């Protein structure tokens, strides 16, 4: 029979004298154990995987950016290959079966006739002319990144045949090949522009928010002046300054510089507002008392505190850069041939009559829309993953 302790008497207890070992404390479940021992990067990855749309968007963007490395190999034709006999050819369809038998991927040959009533070319498929596609084949020659000559392509038309899956333009150039080549310029100009605007926004906004005073006042007035100017006229004015004698590379760098210089103001204000609040925290005062420099405090202690916001801003700024380049090139004041971008491809469809007769010239808008949507979804997932404890 157990005796109860007397009221007021101390309860018996036992204290182990063994040293404390935190590894002996195990969570109640294996999932909690893995969570407690996971690194910050792993926690972010687990959180990111829960956003399925962001994962698919990230995979799509990875595929697109890897494709620009080997765009010469992926494109069926050379960028400048012309076929005067196939001007304004409508897109061809890929078939697998002919007369009930499996043939493999092929297209039908075409004949061209002139419609004198509507003043247009009319192309008709020839059901008896089966042109089987070739893979890992030799076709138009090209210079791979300007380093060496090659003529190997992923897919080619049949010997002596044609393959225009997205049609041709007014010079008989393959639209699909030009879209693949144009991705290299349109996608990289966004990365370079974002890198420049991020450096300016974080440095200028960080110093304005951390230092304050006269420097902050001057920065805010400069930002207000830049933001009060209409963006499109300013783009047009700065793009018109570039001499027509510049090489395509200099024009490319000039457009990147213009987009980067005009897009840092919003990020600078966001960084400033965050640092105004974070600079009053105790850990910032502790870093100052320990002799940390301004750059170290901003870079190592303050900016990581709102990294999720910076990631979301980056993924939303890149589509803006792509649209900016597309708009300038479409208006004829951005990049110029022989450089090819999605904006330059869209200049072929500036006329209403051209759109009505040859609507496939608007197909370069599809990759622009898909890439912008993918960046937005990918940014949402990264923003949530950057702070996995919320």
């Amino acid at each position: 029979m157990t005796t109860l302790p007397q009221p007021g008497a101390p309860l018996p207890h036992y204290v182990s004298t063994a040293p404390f070992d935190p590894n002996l404390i195990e969570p109640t479940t294996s999932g909690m154990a893995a969570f407690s021992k996971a690194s910050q990067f792993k926690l972010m990855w687990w959180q990111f995987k829960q956003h399925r749309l962001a994962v698919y968007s990230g995979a799509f963007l990875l595929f697109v950016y890897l494709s620009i490395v080997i765009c010469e190999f992926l494109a069926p034709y050379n960028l400048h290959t012309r076929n005067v006999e196939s001007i304004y050819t409508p897109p061809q369809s890929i078939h697998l079966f002919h007369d009930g038998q499996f043939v493999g991927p092929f297209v039908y040959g075409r004949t061209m006739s002139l419609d004198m009533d509507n003043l247009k070319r009319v192309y008709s498929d020839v059901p008896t002319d089966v042109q089987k596609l070739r893979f890992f084949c030799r076709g138009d020659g090209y210079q791979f990144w300007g380093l060496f000559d090659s003529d190997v392509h992923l897919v080619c038309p049949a010997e002596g045949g044609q393959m225009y899956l997205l049609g041709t333009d007014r010079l008989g150039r393959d639209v699909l090949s030009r879209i693949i080549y144009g991705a290299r310029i349109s996608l990289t100009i966004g990365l370079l522009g974002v890198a420049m605007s991020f450096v300016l926004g974080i440095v200028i906004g960080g110093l304005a928010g951390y230092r304050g005073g006269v420097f902050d006042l001057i920065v805010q007035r400069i930002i207000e002046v830049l933001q009060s100017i209409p963006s499109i006229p300013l783009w047009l004015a700065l793009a018109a300054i570039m001499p027509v004698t510049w090489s395509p590379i200099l024009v490319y760098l000039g457009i990147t510089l213009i987009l980067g210089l005009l897009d840092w103001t919003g990020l600078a204000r966001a960084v400033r507002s965050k640092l105004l609040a974070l600079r009053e925290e105790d850990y910032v005062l502790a870093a100052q008392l320990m002799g940390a420099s301004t750059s170290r405090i901003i870079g190592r202690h303050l900016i990581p505190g709102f990294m999720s916001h910076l990631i979301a801003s980056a993924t939303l700024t890149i589509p803006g850069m792509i649209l900016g380049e597309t708009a300038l090139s479409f208006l004829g004041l951005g990049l110029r041939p022989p450089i090819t971008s999605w904006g330059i491809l869209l200049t072929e469809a500036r006329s209403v009559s051209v759109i009505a007769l040859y609507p496939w010239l608007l197909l370069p808008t599809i990759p622009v829309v898909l890439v912008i949507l993918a960046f937005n979804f990918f940014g949402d997932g990264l923003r949530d993953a950057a702070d996995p404890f919320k």
Side-chain angles (χ1 to χ4, degrees):
M1 183 176 180
T2 304
T3 59
L4 297 175
Q6 297 294 327
L11 296 175
H13 63 279
Y14 169 75
V15 178
S16 175
T17 58
F20 174 72
D21 186 1
N23 293 326
L24 294 178
I25 302 178
E26 299 182 356
T28 57
T29 64
S30 59
M32 294 179 60
F35 183 82
S36 63
K37 297 180 181 180
S39 62
Q40 179 72 13
F41 179 79
K42 186 173 290 188
L43 292 175
M44 293 174 61
W45 171 242
W46 289 344
Q47 181 71 19
F48 179 75
K49 287 196 302 182
Q50 296 181 2
H51 200 304
R52 293 300 180 87
L53 192 56
V55 174
Y56 298 146
S57 299
F60 171 75
L61 291 175
L62 179 62
F63 169 76
V64 171
Y65 274 95
L66 288 178
S67 68
I68 68 177
V69 180
I70 55 173
C71 65
E72 295 91 349
F73 169 73
L74 296 178
Y77 294 92
N78 185 284
L79 175 62
H80 305 293
T81 298
R82 301 181 182 181
N83 187 350
V84 295
E85 297 179 356
S86 300
I87 295 175
Y88 286 133
T89 299
Q92 292 178 280
S93 301
I94 296 180
H95 306 273
L96 297 177
F97 296 90
H98 177 69
D99 289 340
Q101 296 181 351
F102 179 78
V103 178
F106 71 92
V107 296
Y108 288 113
R110 283 183 168 177
T111 58
M112 188 271 294
S113 60
L114 295 177
D115 184 356
M116 302 307 296
D117 294 332
N118 298 317
L119 298 178
K120 61 180 294 187
R121 297 167 179 254
V122 178
Y123 292 89
S124 304
D125 290 340
V126 180
T128 58
D129 186 7
V130 176
Q131 299 180 359
K132 191 173 181 180
L133 305 184
R134 297 177 295 143
F135 294 90
F136 298 99
C137 47
R138 295 190 178 274
D140 290 347
Y142 57 84
Q143 274 198 329
F144 187 78
W145 283 88
L147 300 177
F148 58 88
D149 295 329
S150 178
D151 58 357
V152 180
H153 297 263
L154 175 64
V155 59
C156 305
E159 292 287 350
Q162 301 173 357
M163 183 190 66
Y164 302 119
L165 302 183
L166 297 184
T168 61
D169 61 6
R170 59 186 176 86
L171 297 178
R173 297 172 296 188
D174 181 40
V175 174
L176 174 61
S177 299
R178 292 176 62 79
I179 289 176
I180 295 175
Y181 274 94
R184 176 175 290 175
I185 299 298
S186 295
L187 295 179
T188 54
I189 203 170
L191 294 180
L192 295 177
V194 165
M196 181 178 299
S197 66
F198 254 57
V199 171
L200 293 175
I202 291 176
V203 172
I204 297 177
L207 290 176
Y210 184 74
R211 289 293 187 182
V214 178
F215 182 79
D216 180 31
L217 184 64
I218 295 175
V219 169
Q220 294 309 304
R221 300 293 82 77
I222 294 176
I223 291 177
E224 290 171 358
V225 170
L226 291 177
Q227 290 184 340
S228 64
I229 302 175
S231 58
I232 293 181
L234 183 60
W235 284 352
L236 299 179
L238 293 177
I241 294 175
M242 293 185 295
V244 295
T245 57
W246 277 12
S247 67
I249 298 299
L250 289 179
V251 174
Y252 174 78
L253 295 178
I255 294 296
T256 303
L257 180 64
I258 289 174
L259 295 176
L261 289 177
L262 296 180
D263 205 61
W264 63 271
T265 55
L267 179 63
R269 278 200 159 178
V271 172
R272 171 186 175 271
S273 62
K274 291 290 185 179
L275 293 192
L276 284 176
L278 294 177
R279 70 178 183 177
E280 307 298 334
E281 298 291 336
D282 294 338
Y283 64 88
V284 177
L285 178 60
Q288 293 173 345
L289 294 177
M290 294 177 66
S293 62
T294 300
S295 60
R296 180 177 178 84
I297 293 175
I298 295 176
R300 295 293 299 275
H301 301 289
L302 295 179
I303 291 180
F306 56 99
M307 186 58 66
S308 60
H309 177 79
L310 295 179
I311 292 174
S313 299
T315 53
L316 293 178
T317 303
I318 293 177
M321 294 287 182
I322 296 175
L323 288 177
E325 180 275 325
T326 303
L328 286 177
S329 299
F330 177 77
L331 295 173
L333 294 174
L335 301 174
R336 296 187 291 268
I339 284 184
T340 300
S341 68
W342 291 339
I344 291 178
L345 295 180
L346 289 175
T347 59
E348 299 282 343
R350 281 188 293 187
S351 173
V352 176
S353 60
V354 171
I355 296 175
L357 295 175
Y358 318 112
W360 58 87
L361 296 180
L362 287 175
L363 290 176
T365 59
I366 295 178
V368 175
V369 173
L370 292 179
V371 168
I372 291 175
L373 288 177
F375 267 114
N376 289 332
F377 295 141
F378 185 63
D380 290 339
L382 286 181
R383 180 187 58 198
D384 297 338
D387 193 359
F389 298 102
K390 284 188 177 180

